Amino acid sequence: MRLTEAPPGEHFPASRELSGSLAEARMESTGEGRTASVLFAGFRALGLFSNDVPHVVRYNALKRRFYVTTCVGKSFHTYDVQKLRLVAVSNSVPQDICCMAADGRLVFAAYGNVFSAFARNKEIVHTFKGHKAEIHLLQPFGDHVISVDTDSILIIWHIYSEEEYLQLTFDKSVFQISAILHPSTYLNKVLLGSEQGSLQLWNIKSNKLLYTFPGWKVAVTALQQAPAVDVVAIGLMSGQVIIHNIKFDETLMKFRQDWGPITSLSFRTDGHPVMAAGSPCGHIGLWDLEDKKLINQMRNAHSTAIAGLTFLHREPLLITNGADNALRIWIFDGPTGEGRLLRFRMGHSASLTKIRYYGQNGQQILSASQDGTLQSFSTVHEKFNKSLGHGIVNKKIVKRKGLQNTMSVRLPPITKFAAEEARQSDWDGIIACHQGKLPCSTWNYQRSTIGAYFLRPNGLKTGDIIATAVDITSCGNFAIIGLSSGAVDVYNMQSGKHRGSFGDEKAHTGSVRGVAVDGLNQLTVTAGSERLLKFWNFKKKTLIYSLSLDSSPNMMLLHRDSGILGLALDDFSITVLDIETKKVVREFSGHQGQINDMTFSPDGRWLISAAMDCSVRTWDLPSGCLIDCFLLDSAPLNVTMSPTGDFLATSHVDHLGIYLWSNISLFSVVSLRPLPPDYVPSVVMLPGTCQTQGLEVSEEQTEPNDEMIEYESPEQLSEQLVTLSLLPESRWKNLLNLDVIKKKNKPKEPPKVPQSAPFFIPTVPGLVPRFAVPEQNGDPQQSKVVNLGILAQKSNFYLKLEEGLLNNQYEPALNLLKELGPSGIESELRNLSPDDGGSVEVMQGFLKMIGMMLDRKRDFELAQAYLALFLKLHLKMLPSEAVLLEELEKLSSQVEEDWTHLQSLFNQSMCVLNYIKSALL
């Protein structure tokens, strides 16, 4: 696609996208405007596995398997513990889930002051409403479920009737419930812990307080049943763990962790007396209950607080999850009792800094994050996800010294990267620059690790100079790195060696904001903060052309297939250039905040931009108009479109996932019209992890409106054009050769009647099959005298021609003729002769019908075929009738005029085709 240069002063800002009349017409047709994006509908979220809500473990007795359920915002995921395979994704709820619980049949999830019961890990079957404050504790209790809100109101519900069984109200200043437990073998009893430190044992059937434990004057944060009956582990805010016998109100042992409050507790039940305790800093302490001492520490099990940990029943497996978006399974099979990582599902634990599709199949998305990792997420299935790990300063030293904690040698987060899969099997194919660092790291996608080289100029001290822009050539051989000093260097990806610099000393006087190389390694484009855009010869490293910009560029993006360059400027506008003509072809304005990222559609027709004003805008480059815009509740940081055009991927502030938006234009009729200047976009909610969520948006788009009416072609586009009929060639092409065809198809012998003919319903012969309806004869005294008038009955076509002579309307006669086959047409035309029962007047009417067809220039081939057959049948008697000769002279001049015009058009087209075939262009 090639865009023409816009005339001076005739660019396309959003405020001037439409003329007044077109804007008014659009507003009238859309009413109050569109309710959502017409191009993109939320599909699902990638890279979300866990948050700060503790997980839930269930055992399926029928399948003899454990399942773990983790919360991801407004829905939850269920994994098979055996292979940590995703089993189900629940339907979304209106708000974020704040706590979960489960029994053998249902999963309970609370959101706000409401909680619901989910069956089959997916669909809501019961909803419980009655709390005034947010629910923060849930406890299944047989056929009942207990819920506690932040106002310390405890309600017991009957699950299947959804009715309240009992409600207990506690004074928050005296006893604010912070933990709940159903002690093993304690029938109809629950143990409640409070933020004041005391505990209470209640019989919920009789609604009686059985006993109050004074506690330790520190808030209770966790309660867990020990393998022994009557023994409960109590986690405190001070970091203490109390092993207490609630039957005799006796403390058996105490432990203390220096990592802050106890977040969760769990006991091994496979024969080892070990207790695990979680902490807010991500460490896990393992305590021996026999020796009463700490036997091991699992440091940095998670990068954030341990939300939940659970030992599987009678198995040496520990399941942990945290707010770092990770779900991990640890196995304790070593002699020292230390747990090692067995399986995990992990996403980014901090906001994303860059996302880009990798490859041409549109199935992998590379993402960099503030947590310092580079990961690849599959749009097909989670099993294809992989992590390329953290960037490490020196991988050899880490291997040689065997450092367990690599925090001191990790690189800062990746800010920008470029990837190319052309030579990924031979050497590294990803180049990345890091926050506040000069060297750029290389990465290998196939080996899923950091590469062998750190690319930096020789003899240059780091100082305050950092890498600000990177690109990699389409062949995968060279990397181009722009620095904050204004230098732009070229490196070989195979050897890591420096292969030259652009410019005499440096390419720009200011910081380099973007670098790009065309698809043939002929042209390099660089953008500097001094408002200059420069074009360089890639091989010679010489300057070809320099262009001044209206404002400093913020970022740059090149669509290599079309040679279109997009520039996001600091004044919140977008400039589009053609790198071949080196001229500005489009300018767009309309964003109210800094433009964070841009992406082109695969065909280069759309430019999609995301800005800090929380909007995502789609610009149509050929027309220079804004065709789609929608707002999000969180500002988009990155945007990238699939090479196949089926999905748009975005990442957002304070969100850890990648959100996919399906391209509606691929599977539905979409009216792409320019938006009016005063168009106010609506806020669209981010998609969840359930794929079916995006279907609700598409239903709105399928409602009929003025924009979605399909175009119906008229019978004739213009009176100046010759229009053919839609009849098949078999109806008119062989009219002149019917006698030859009949002679050829004449049967050699009469047909034989089958001995046992099957039952069939008689049909009437013709082109349209019809059943023969028997005549209803109600008169038993019917005369047997033959009426000779019936034998000379006129056909319908004959009668329509007679009517046409009177009212000059020949359309009904033509429609009857179109329904007949070749033999029927020949029979009708033959019967027009006076010798066969016709008349000269009817023959004149037929010629007038042909003249009407030629005048209107419709059914052109039928007029020629019918006229040819008419002349063949009646050529001998036509000269003897003056009326018919006069009509034929009119038709002759009309046919000659039409064919002369057509012949000139045919000759002109043939000349152009011959020139294109023979000329050297």
Side-chain angles (χ1 to χ4, degrees):
M1 182 186 71
R2 181 65 54 219
L3 297 179
T4 58
E5 180 189 0
E10 292 296 331
H11 299 300
F12 302 90
S15 60
R16 296 169 56 194
E17 285 168 1
L18 284 176
S19 62
S21 59
L22 182 58
E24 292 175 2
R26 176 167 180 81
M27 293 303 292
E28 289 176 2
S29 63
T30 58
E32 297 180 355
R34 295 178 295 186
T35 58
S37 171
V38 297
L39 277 181
F40 301 105
F43 182 64
R44 69 186 182 102
L46 301 177
L48 296 177
F49 300 96
S50 174
N51 59 9
D52 57 346
V53 177
H55 65 264
V56 175
V57 176
R58 304 169 61 200
Y59 179 72
N60 189 317
L62 183 62
K63 297 183 179 180
R64 297 183 179 180
R65 286 187 178 181
F66 286 98
Y67 293 93
V68 57
T69 301
T70 60
C71 174
V72 284
K74 297 180 181 179
S75 60
F76 58 82
H77 293 183
T78 302
Y79 297 89
D80 183 359
V81 174
Q82 185 174 1
K83 294 185 178 180
L84 213 57
R85 175 178 57 89
L86 182 63
V87 174
V89 178
S90 74
N91 296 333
S92 296
V93 295
Q95 304 178 39
D96 289 341
I97 297 174
C98 50
C99 65
M100 293 194 307
D103 57 13
R105 295 160 294 181
L106 302 173
V107 176
F108 302 93
Y111 46 95
N113 57 358
V114 180
F115 73 99
S116 299
F118 292 77
R120 292 175 288 278
N121 299 311
K122 187 174 180 65
E123 56 195 29
I124 297 177
V125 292
H126 302 290
T127 300
F128 305 88
K129 300 179 181 179
H131 284 280
K132 303 298 182 182
E134 180 178 333
I135 301 171
H136 71 110
L137 292 174
L138 290 174
Q139 175 66 49
F141 201 79
D143 291 338
H144 298 76
V145 60
I146 304 173
S147 61
V148 182
D149 61 22
T150 54
D151 290 339
S152 290
I153 296 178
L154 183 149
I155 302 178
I156 304 172
W157 308 81
H158 190 278
I159 295 178
Y160 301 104
S161 64
E162 302 180 10
E163 297 177 351
E164 286 189 20
Y165 173 77
L166 178 67
Q167 179 172 329
L168 300 175
T169 303
F170 297 84
D171 187 357
K172 291 174 59 176
S173 61
V174 178
F175 193 88
Q176 184 170 356
I177 302 175
S178 59
I180 186 171
L181 174 70
H182 171 49
S184 180
T185 71
Y186 279 59
L187 188 65
N188 300 327
K189 299 175 181 66
V190 292
L191 180 66
L192 304 177
S194 68
E195 292 189 0
Q196 287 75 18
S198 60
L199 294 92
Q200 295 183 2
L201 184 65
W202 283 78
N203 186 319
I204 60 175
K205 184 175 183 180
S206 61
N207 190 15
K208 291 183 179 180
L209 174 62
L210 301 180
Y211 190 79
T212 299
F213 301 89
W216 296 265
K217 300 185 184 305
V218 182
V220 177
T221 58
L223 293 174
Q224 182 62 39
Q225 174 69 49
V229 180
D230 302 325
V231 179
V232 174
I234 305 169
L236 303 180
M237 182 68 71
S238 61
Q240 276 188 320
V241 180
I242 310 297
I243 307 299
H244 198 75
N245 189 311
I246 59 175
K247 183 176 183 180
F248 301 104
D249 192 9
E250 179 182 352
T251 298
L252 303 180
M253 58 190 79
K254 294 183 180 180
F255 304 106
R256 184 180 184 86
Q257 293 183 172
D258 296 331
W259 300 324
I262 303 299
T263 58
S264 54
L265 296 167
S266 185
F267 292 89
R268 288 185 66 173
T269 55
D270 60 339
H272 297 267
V274 175
M275 179 188 68
S279 66
C281 54
H283 307 325
I284 299 175
L286 300 174
W287 302 87
D288 191 319
L289 300 178
E290 288 185 349
D291 298 337
K292 302 181 181 180
K293 66 178 182 179
L294 181 69
I295 60 173
N296 220 318
Q297 299 179 21
M298 298 172 59
R299 288 186 171 267
N300 299 314
H302 289 268
S303 60
T304 58
I306 304 294
L309 54 84
T310 306
F311 277 106
L312 293 187
H313 185 61
R314 294 184 179 179
E315 291 191 26
L317 297 178
L318 176 65
I319 301 176
T320 63
N321 80 297
D324 58 349
N325 196 20
L327 173 66
R328 294 184 170 97
I329 298 180
W330 311 81
I331 184 170
F332 294 82
D333 55 356
T336 60
E338 181 181 2
R340 64 178 178 88
L341 187 62
L342 179 63
R343 303 180 194 94
F344 65 92
R345 285 286 182 266
M346 181 181 66
H348 288 294
S349 59
S351 297
L352 278 64
T353 58
K354 189 78 170 180
I355 62 172
R356 283 293 180 266
Y357 269 94
Y358 182 79
Q360 297 300 318
N361 57 5
Q363 297 180 357
Q364 297 290 336
I365 299 178
L366 278 177
S367 64
S369 170
Q370 289 287 351
D371 59 9
T373 61
L374 182 65
Q375 300 191 33
S376 172
F377 294 98
S378 172
T379 60
V380 178
H381 197 278
E382 286 185 354
K383 67 180 180 182
F384 301 116
N385 295 353
K386 62 180 180 179
S387 174
L388 280 69
H390 286 269
I392 301 176
V393 175
N394 195 322
K395 192 165 56 174
K396 294 182 180 179
I397 294 179
V398 174
K399 286 186 177 181
R400 184 167 62 248
K401 293 185 178 181
L403 296 177
Q404 296 295 327
N405 188 1
T406 60
M407 297 293 293
S408 59
V409 294
R410 287 181 178 178
L411 289 171
I414 295 173
T415 55
K416 292 180 174 60
F417 67 82
E420 182 58 51
E421 65 171 354
R423 304 301 294 270
Q424 64 173 358
S425 59
D426 300 325
W427 52 75
D428 301 338
I430 303 173
I431 177 75
C433 59
H434 298 262
Q435 182 179 348
K437 287 288 185 179
L438 173 62
C440 292
S441 59
T442 61
W443 299 74
N444 192 290
Y445 184 82
Q446 282 196 341
R447 296 200 304 268
S448 302
T449 181
I450 192 171
Y453 305 112
F454 286 92
L455 308 180
R456 56 174 296 172
N458 295 327
L460 182 63
K461 296 182 180 180
T462 303
D464 296 332
I465 302 176
I466 61 173
T468 56
V470 292
D471 195 18
I472 188 170
T473 58
S474 58
C475 60
N477 291 314
F478 299 99
I480 297 88
I481 301 175
L483 307 180
S484 60
S485 62
V488 179
D489 302 298
V490 181
Y491 297 87
N492 186 280
M493 291 293 293
Q494 182 180 8
S495 62
K497 293 182 179 180
H498 187 265
R499 293 304 185 193
S501 301
F502 292 95
D504 296 334
E505 296 183 359
K506 50 186 180 180
H508 292 271
T509 57
S511 175
V512 178
R513 298 289 179 85
V515 294
V517 184
D518 67 347
L520 300 177
N521 293 359
Q522 299 294 319
L523 195 65
T524 302
V525 187
T526 61
S529 60
E530 74 280 11
R531 301 185 180 182
L532 285 180
L533 184 70
K534 295 185 177 182
F535 298 84
W536 308 81
N537 185 291
F538 179 78
K539 295 181 179 179
K540 298 179 181 180
K541 311 293 188 298
T542 57
L543 181 63
I544 299 176
Y545 185 74
S546 181
L547 178 67
S548 297
L549 301 172
D550 297 335
S551 180
S552 297
N554 178 38
M555 67 162 298
M556 185 173 68
L557 181 67
L558 174 66
H559 187 262
R560 285 174 173 167
D561 293 340
S562 62
I564 299 298
L565 182 73
L567 279 169
L569 305 182
D570 285 343
D571 61 357
F572 311 151
S573 65
I574 299 174
T575 301
V576 181
L577 298 95
D578 187 340
I579 63 172
E580 289 192 9
T581 60
K582 303 175 183 59
K583 294 182 179 180
V584 176
V585 292
R586 295 289 186 272
E587 285 187 353
F588 303 114
S589 63
H591 281 292
Q592 304 299 320
Q594 175 186 331
I595 299 174
N596 294 326
D597 202 2
M598 299 186 299
T599 184
F600 284 99
S601 61
D603 57 2
R605 294 182 62 88
W606 298 343
L607 176 62
I608 304 169
S609 58
M612 288 302 294
D613 59 2
C614 297
S615 67
V616 176
R617 298 173 181 256
T618 303
W619 313 87
D620 186 67
L621 295 181
S623 63
C625 296
L626 177 68
I627 58 175
D628 188 60
C629 177
F630 62 94
L631 294 178
L632 298 160
D633 54 0
S634 179
L637 292 176
N638 299 278
V639 60
T640 178
M641 196 163 191
S642 168
T644 56
D646 50 356
F647 291 113
L648 178 74
T650 60
S651 67
H652 301 265
V653 175
D654 298 332
H655 286 76
L656 306 181
I658 299 174
Y659 297 89
L660 295 181
W661 308 80
S662 57
N663 186 355
I664 302 178
S665 64
L666 293 183
F667 53 84
S668 178
V669 179
V670 176
S671 176
L672 297 180
R673 298 186 182 181
L675 295 179
D678 55 350
Y679 176 73
V680 179
S682 59
V683 178
V684 179
M685 300 302 296
L686 292 175
T689 54
C690 185
Q691 294 185 8
T692 58
Q693 199 171 22
L695 297 179
E696 299 177 0
V697 180
S698 61
E699 291 177 0
E700 299 178 2
Q701 307 296 335
T702 58
E703 295 181 0
N705 54 45
D706 294 340
E707 296 183 7
M708 304 298 290
I709 297 176
E710 295 185 3
Y711 174 76
E712 295 182 0
S713 177
E715 295 184 2
Q716 190 172 18
L717 297 178
S718 173
E719 295 181 356
Q720 307 299 325
L721 300 177
V722 171
T723 305
L724 304 181
S725 69
L726 299 179
L727 294 180
E729 292 184 352
S730 59
R731 297 279 190 97
W732 55 268
K733 193 172 183 180
N734 297 319
L735 287 177
L736 297 179
N737 302 319
L738 276 179
D739 50 352
V740 179
I741 296 174
K742 289 181 179 180
K743 184 176 180 181
K744 182 179 179 180
N745 295 337
K746 185 178 180 181
K748 298 180 179 179
E749 55 183 9
K752 297 181 180 179
V753 180
Q755 295 180 357
S756 58
F759 170 78
F760 64 93
I761 300 177
T763 58
V764 177
L767 296 175
V768 180
R770 298 195 309 270
F771 294 115
V773 181
E775 295 183 359
Q776 299 294 334
N777 187 9
D779 186 10
Q781 302 296 332
Q782 183 182 5
S783 174
K784 297 182 179 180
V785 178
V786 178
N787 186 2
L788 297 179
I790 299 178
L791 300 178
Q793 186 177 9
K794 299 176 182 178
S795 66
N796 291 332
F797 175 69
Y798 191 96
L799 295 175
K800 294 298 180 182
L801 283 180
E802 288 184 337
E803 293 178 5
L805 289 172
L806 299 176
N807 55 19
N808 203 24
Q809 297 291 333
Y810 296 99
E811 193 72 29
L814 177 61
N815 293 334
L816 287 176
L817 208 58
K818 286 182 179 180
E819 298 178 358
L820 300 177
S823 299
I825 294 173
E826 185 195 27
S827 177
E828 291 289 354
L829 297 189
R830 190 183 297 275
N831 292 335
L832 296 180
S833 173
D835 298 336
D836 295 319
S839 66
V840 176
E841 290 77 10
V842 176
M843 296 177 70
Q844 182 184 7
F846 177 81
L847 294 177
K848 287 185 177 182
M849 183 188 73
I850 299 296
M852 178 267 298
M853 298 170 66
L854 296 176
D855 287 337
R856 296 190 306 174
K857 292 185 172 57
R858 289 172 52 183
D859 303 321
F860 189 76
E861 81 280 21
L862 294 184
Q864 304 295 327
Y866 295 163
L867 181 59
L869 180 60
F870 181 82
L871 294 176
K872 178 183 177 182
L873 297 176
H874 309 296
L875 186 60
K876 293 182 179 180
M877 62 91 54
L878 288 176
S880 60
E881 299 292 339
V883 179
L884 299 181
L885 281 177
E886 184 180 354
E887 290 292 338
L888 287 175
E889 288 177 0
K890 295 179 183 178
L891 289 178
S892 177
S893 60
Q894 197 170 359
V895 170
E896 185 177 358
E897 180 182 352
D898 291 343
W899 275 112
T900 302
H901 177 64
L902 288 177
Q903 191 65 40
S904 63
L905 295 178
F906 292 153
N907 293 338
Q908 182 180 359
S909 301
M910 293 298 295
C911 290
V912 174
L913 290 175
N914 291 332
Y915 173 75
I916 294 176
K917 290 167 59 178
S918 59
L920 297 176
L921 298 178

